[in-house]
Amino acid sequence: MSKSLNLFAPALGGTALIVGVAYGISTKNYGAQTIENLEAQLASSQAGAETASAKVQAADAEITELMAERDALEAAVASGGGLTQPAPASDAPFNLGREALPEEVAAWDVDVLPDGRGLPVGSGDVWTGEEVFVEQCASCHGDFAEGSGNWPVLAGGFGTLADEDPVKTVGSYWPYLSTAFDYINRSMPFGAAGTLSADDTYAIVAYILYSNDMVDDDFVLSNETFLDVEMPNAGGFVLDDRAELEYAHWSAEPCMSDCKETVEITMRASVVDVTPETEEEASAEHSMAEPETETEMAAEAPQEAEVVEAAADPALIEAGQGVFRQCQSCHEIGAGASDRTGPQLNGIIGRTIGGVDGFRYSNVFKDAAETGDVWTAEALDAYLADPRAAMPGTKMSFRGLRNPEDYAALLAYLQSAGAE
Amino acid sequence: MDDFAKTSRRAFLRGSAAVAAGSVAGTAAAQDAPDPLITELQDWATFTGYGVDETPYGLPIKYEDDVVRRNVAWLTASPISSINFTPIHALEGTITPQGCAFERHHSGAIELTKDDYRLMINGLVDRPLVFTYADLERLPRENHVYFCECAANTGMEWAGAQLNGAQFTHGMIHNMEYTGVPLRTLLAEAGLDAAGDLSDKWVYVEGADASSNGRSIPMEKALDDVLVAFKANGEALRMEHGYPVRLVVPGWEGNMWVKWIRRMEVTDAAVESREETSKYTDVYEDGTARKWTWEMDAKSVVTSPSPQMPITHGTGPLVISGLAWSGHGKITRVDVSTDGGANWQTARLGKQGDTKALTRFYLDIEWDGSPMFLQSRAIDETGYVQPTKEALREARGENSVYHNNCIQTWYVNEEGVAENVEVS
């Protein structure tokens, strides 16, 4: 089963060996000369014959050894192996690592196979699924799994796979339902992976199926009903057949001259114009367009920096940066921060609630913006403690900060990283 | 000039300004007046420079600060689940420095210490095992140079020329020297007797990050050349490349090179995870999709001249430099055309590349200033010839997203400005 282990001997290793063998041969010749000289001396003097004889024997032994070494090296070269060798395999284990405990395997081995192996016991219905989905998933995937921004569309797209822009959803494309359960259970929600219960995962998958018109609203998905669901595109895949369909056609000696009569440009990237500019180019344009703004900002900046510096506790800021990981899948902060699933957070304290131009806020934030309320540390704390209680109807799918000490740390980080 | 992308024009102007101060374009021109850089005492030749330890871990000099990874923001929803691109246009040789090797994360790059690192092997094995990082360092290791290419490299070009720069069209690739333990060694530690006949078995691999990015690897590949690697280019893996341990799956699509690898499970079937069903499958014109398209077919690209690397020196000697690679083995030959594929010349290989590693190629020409349509065509040791974009489209349509290894065309005009085009 395993392929030859001697595939890796590079050309250089071979060269080194040949040099080594040549050296061995020349040493042997030199040894032979020495022996002849010694024998001549023996014959003429007759003195110290025993010692000389011993020396000859030693030299002979050395020659034999060198010849054996040469033979071994030559054999190694001939076999394509040599000094450069793959890591040795061992029939007897190295006995490294330790036995995995059943609890450890259970904690990490949660994958689910197409035939349902690996599914936990549990169940969830469509209506529960809708609630959980709206709370946990909709901020990226839309209330009806229709997708938001560049985030994946999970529903619809039937009959589009042969179109110019196929819409590949759980319903229209995914061949196995196990994939949806497996992925959601392990890797979703984005930014809080591994936090869903088995029942909630069943419920979410049930809701996604409902959004795809694949089940009715009274459907309950469980480890027992799982294999009853038929995936519409289960038969839509073929195994890699490039070897048969392509490689044979694309392996002929290619044309080298006069291969075409004319060469005309049929399309150019500059027409599409989607290549990102370098920062240098972008800032050059920016400074030409808005020189006054930049000067104003430069004049304001030092004062604010002083305020932040006075208040900043580096350890607290660093701790806050850790807390911010719970936020960063949706929010950006700092130089160049832009709106993502959530608005950018620069200058959040003192900023109008719902006040970032161009961000698509939920209604509760739009209302707040009209009243002109601004974010205070207290308001932010209350919102982060329980987002849906503080701002009913918010699209932010965050369950709230759990650790009391996280609030001050996060605030310090937001003020430090988002200082304008 | 108006026809060309802003990017190209600016790159060209920047380049021109840089050379204008030094010399006249073209052949070795006579110098009218003594060069003050030679005749006048320069600061750097009289004052002392920086002492040692100025930067305990060195970074490129500031004059090279444009040679960085770049992101194409509109491609993805969030930089946390996104990709950026190696500046291959500005690199030479074949080894990619880790600091500018492209990144692809599905749930962001994580900070995982060696002490907190655990690697589990379970499933159809005789002994389910847990290894620490220190355990891995005690097993016999190997060094190999391999390229890692995202299956989506050049994916934006299926429907037409889109992005103006080799970095953006071909930069989802890097090439490093890895140090690691063969996967077969680790599997042998756990024992494969329990798996019985290995010919239909799989090794499912997953990472420690929130995405886990699970992939199923057929046992034959797992026992062949897959490495569990902990060093790249002689130093620890960078965070963004999976520190402290990643999988190296030579010649196969980058998505299978699981970073922060934490678990390997021997199974009797592919898991059919999200990354191997809903993603990394290739939709064809009739709507059916090809799956398990693991190998990266032979491919090449001219890295200079290219849209980000215009010719700024005028006519005369010109080095056409490029990269070629194949997931099926060694590159044996690269042809270069300067007239859009009508006529080809066999390029000089900078050095015979290793199997499944980047090979550098060169064509050294006298440029007469006439416009060029630069193309390169790689041939690998299986005899496979890199196809044209038309041939690929005819075989697969335009919706595959992945595995676009077509011949790329750069149009270089009389001024040396280069642009991404398609030609008849």
Side-chain angles (χ1 to χ4, degrees):
Chain A
M1 170 94 230
S2 84
K3 292 185 178 172
S4 165
L5 304 185
N6 287 328
L7 297 171
F8 309 117
L12 264 180
T15 310
L17 276 177
I18 290 158
V19 171
V21 170
Y23 177 74
I25 292 166
S26 70
T27 310
K28 181 207 144 202
N29 288 342
Y30 177 76
Q33 274 179 2
T34 309
I35 295 155
E36 281 167 22
N37 288 344
L38 283 171
E39 282 173 348
Q41 282 171 16
L42 266 175
S44 64
S45 70
Q46 299 289 330
E50 247 176 62
T51 318
S53 172
K55 278 186 182 169
V56 169
Q57 279 174 16
D60 271 345
E62 194 182 337
I63 288 162
T64 310
E65 203 173 297
L66 283 167
M67 285 176 72
E69 196 178 320
R70 178 199 60 183
D71 290 347
L73 287 170
E74 279 179 343
V77 170
S79 76
L83 294 177
T84 306
Q85 287 181 352
S90 171
D91 291 335
F94 294 95
N95 288 320
L96 291 168
R98 62 160 176 88
E99 196 105 1
L101 300 178
E103 301 92 317
E104 294 171 332
V105 174
W108 275 7
D109 185 357
V110 296
D111 57 71
V112 179
L113 278 80
D115 60 10
R117 277 182 291 167
L119 280 172
V121 173
S123 69
D125 61 66
V126 169
W127 295 115
T128 308
E130 183 183 30
E131 274 175 39
V132 183
F133 191 91
V134 167
E135 189 175 317
Q136 301 274 7
C137 321
S139 61
C140 294
H141 296 294
D143 283 354
F144 307 101
E146 77 280 17
S148 166
N150 252 351
W151 297 106
V153 183
L154 303 179
F158 291 98
T160 67
L161 295 182
D163 293 355
E164 195 175 323
D165 289 306
V167 180
K168 299 187 275 185
T169 72
V170 175
S172 71
Y173 191 64
W174 294 32
Y176 305 105
L177 188 60
S178 58
T179 308
F181 187 97
D182 179 61
Y183 183 68
I184 294 164
N185 182 42
R186 258 194 298 173
S187 305
M188 289 284 118
F190 197 62
T195 58
L196 294 170
S197 67
D199 287 346
D200 279 354
T201 308
Y202 280 111
I204 290 171
V205 175
Y207 180 68
I208 293 172
L209 291 173
Y210 175 74
S211 300
N212 277 289
D213 292 326
M214 289 168 60
V215 297
D216 294 328
D217 58 7
D218 58 355
F219 178 73
V220 180
L221 184 68
S222 72
N223 53 305
E224 284 167 1
T225 62
F226 203 85
L227 294 179
D228 298 342
V229 179
E230 285 183 22
M231 300 300 280
N233 196 42
F237 291 79
V238 294
L239 294 189
D240 188 359
D241 49 8
R242 284 177 292 174
E244 299 87 72
L245 297 183
E246 297 181 356
Y247 298 168
H249 302 290
W250 297 342
S251 294
E253 174 61 28
C255 173
M256 291 300 284
S257 56
D258 302 323
C259 309
K260 295 178 180 179
E261 287 191 359
T262 57
V263 174
E264 304 287 339
I265 294 179
T266 55
M267 188 175 270
R268 30 194 354 156
S270 59
V271 175
V272 192
D273 196 17
V274 289
T275 310
E277 297 185 333
T278 64
E279 281 124 41
E280 187 182 323
E281 287 158 358
S283 69
E285 281 192 359
H286 183 64
S287 64
M288 278 192 288
E290 300 177 82
E292 287 171 22
T293 318
E294 292 226 335
T295 317
E296 279 168 28
M297 281 171 66
E300 280 173 29
Q303 296 166 356
E304 288 201 23
E306 277 167 32
V307 175
V308 173
E309 262 172 43
D313 169 359
L316 196 62
I317 292 171
E318 198 186 332
Q321 190 171 8
V323 178
F324 189 72
R325 283 188 194 155
Q326 299 174 60
C327 322
Q328 67 185 15
S329 61
C330 297
H331 293 283
E332 289 188 1
I333 192 165
S338 54
D339 298 337
R340 292 286 166 182
T341 306
Q344 56 86 4
L345 298 179
N346 286 337
I348 182 73
I349 298 300
R351 193 169 94 180
T352 306
I353 296 177
V356 173
D357 283 344
F359 183 76
R360 293 193 309 162
Y361 283 103
S362 49
N363 288 334
V364 64
F365 274 91
K366 286 181 189 158
D367 295 346
E370 277 178 21
T371 66
D373 290 346
V374 297
W375 282 112
T376 60
E378 295 72 30
L380 194 62
D381 282 358
Y383 182 53
L384 292 176
D386 191 345
R388 288 197 176 80
M391 299 293 277
T394 178
K395 286 191 290 187
M396 185 167 86
S397 62
F398 180 62
R399 62 191 173 223
L401 279 182
R402 288 171 179 177
N403 277 328
E405 63 265 33
D406 286 350
Y407 291 87
L410 183 61
L411 186 65
Y413 175 70
L414 290 175
Q415 289 184 304
S416 160
E420 288 184 313
Chain B
M1 192 80 176
D2 288 344
D3 287 338
F4 294 100
K6 288 181 282 184
T7 317
S8 277
R9 191 167 62 237
R10 292 213 188 87
F12 175 75
L13 292 173
R14 248 195 337 268
S16 303
V19 290
S23 67
V24 178
T27 51
Q31 184 79 16
D32 304 333
D35 185 348
L37 282 169
I38 296 171
T39 55
E40 289 173 16
L41 183 60
Q42 302 296 324
D43 285 354
W44 59 82
T46 187
F47 304 133
T48 55
Y50 297 102
V52 298
D53 285 349
E54 182 68 23
T55 40
Y57 191 101
L59 290 170
I61 195 166
K62 59 189 173 188
Y63 313 127
E64 295 291 318
D65 65 0
D66 59 327
V67 183
V68 290
R69 297 183 280 231
R70 289 191 192 286
N71 176 15
V72 177
W74 56 264
L75 277 177
T76 51
S78 155
I80 293 168
S81 177
S82 192
I83 186 126
N84 60 19
F85 300 84
T86 308
I88 55 168
H89 63 289
L91 300 178
E92 257 297 335
T94 57
I95 295 294
T96 314
Q98 285 205 69
C100 65
F102 83 95
E103 303 169 80
R104 171 72 169 112
H105 313 310
H106 291 77
S107 287
I110 56 168
E111 292 178 325
L112 177 59
T113 67
K114 288 176 182 172
D115 284 347
D116 290 344
Y117 179 77
R118 297 289 183 274
L119 175 62
M120 180 186 289
I121 301 182
N122 74 307
L124 300 171
V125 293
D126 306 335
R127 299 170 292 278
L129 293 177
V130 173
F131 294 93
T132 62
Y133 182 85
D135 292 333
L136 295 181
E137 284 197 324
R138 296 178 62 193
L139 290 162
R141 64 185 82 143
E142 294 181 359
N143 296 291
H144 297 281
V145 177
Y146 293 122
F147 76 80
C148 172
E149 183 185 18
C150 177
N153 199 18
T154 322
M156 291 81 74
E157 306 291 307
W158 272 109
Q162 276 222 56
L163 289 164
N164 242 330
Q167 177 169 23
F168 302 113
T169 56
H170 290 75
M172 294 182 195
I173 190 163
H174 56 61
N175 192 61
M176 304 192 203
E177 185 197 43
Y178 294 96
T179 302
V181 177
L183 176 52
R184 68 178 105 82
T185 304
L186 290 166
L187 292 172
E189 284 297 290
L192 289 175
D193 291 344
D197 177 10
L198 295 179
S199 65
D200 60 353
K201 298 303 183 294
W202 299 74
V203 181
Y204 176 72
V205 291
E206 68 183 21
D209 63 313
S211 82
S212 77
N213 196 78
R215 289 293 304 249
S216 308
I217 298 174
M219 183 63 83
E220 183 179 5
K221 178 71 173 176
L223 293 176
D224 183 11
D225 55 4
V226 178
L227 283 181
V228 176
F230 42 83
K231 302 277 171 164
N233 297 343
E235 62 180 357
L237 291 164
R238 296 285 167 88
M239 170 185 75
E240 62 268 34
H241 299 130
Y243 179 93
V245 183
R246 86 170 305 167
L247 204 64
V248 169
V249 189
W252 289 23
E253 61 190 18
N255 181 254
M256 306 180 84
W257 295 46
V258 172
K259 297 186 286 193
W260 312 290
I261 184 161
R262 80 166 188 188
R263 195 172 70 90
M264 306 190 287
E265 179 184 357
V266 177
T267 61
D268 59 8
V271 167
E272 304 285 7
S273 72
R274 185 236 192 199
E275 303 298 327
E276 53 201 13
T277 54
S278 76
K279 307 287 176 185
Y280 302 96
T281 47
D282 317 344
V283 177
Y284 295 109
E285 204 149 28
D286 66 357
T288 60
R290 215 174 249 173
K291 70 172 189 174
W292 299 354
T293 48
W294 301 308
E295 288 98 341
M296 302 306 296
D297 292 334
K299 186 168 171 177
S300 67
V301 65
V302 171
T303 52
S304 176
S306 65
Q308 296 158 289
M309 294 292 280
I311 304 170
T312 56
H313 55 57
T315 57
L318 171 68
V319 175
I320 297 171
S321 178
L323 291 169
W325 61 95
S326 169
H328 296 277
K330 289 182 181 182
I331 289 296
T332 51
R333 187 176 121 196
V334 181
D335 298 329
V336 173
S337 173
T338 57
D339 60 8
N343 297 283
W344 296 84
Q345 299 174 68
T346 296
R348 175 170 67 86
L349 301 187
K351 174 167 90 75
Q352 176 63 60
D354 292 315
T355 187
K356 302 167 189 174
L358 293 189
T359 293
R360 174 66 62 178
F361 67 84
Y362 297 109
L363 188 70
D364 309 289
I365 66 166
E366 282 284 318
W367 184 47
D368 62 6
S370 52
M372 296 184 285
F373 291 102
L374 290 179
Q375 296 186 339
S376 64
R377 175 173 75 191
I379 302 176
D380 71 19
E381 63 179 305
T382 69
Y384 176 95
V385 182
Q386 182 182 358
T388 62
K389 209 180 245 189
E390 297 71 50
L392 271 179
R393 283 181 184 150
E394 198 179 320
R396 304 185 196 164
E398 296 181 3
N399 283 331
S400 287
V401 180
Y402 306 106
H403 294 282
N404 184 349
N405 65 323
C406 70
I407 291 173
Q408 171 68 42
T409 310
W410 306 127
Y411 172 55
V412 183
N413 74 2
E414 299 90 335
E415 297 171 84
V417 176
E419 183 190 356
N420 178 8
V421 300
E422 287 184 11
V423 293
S424 57

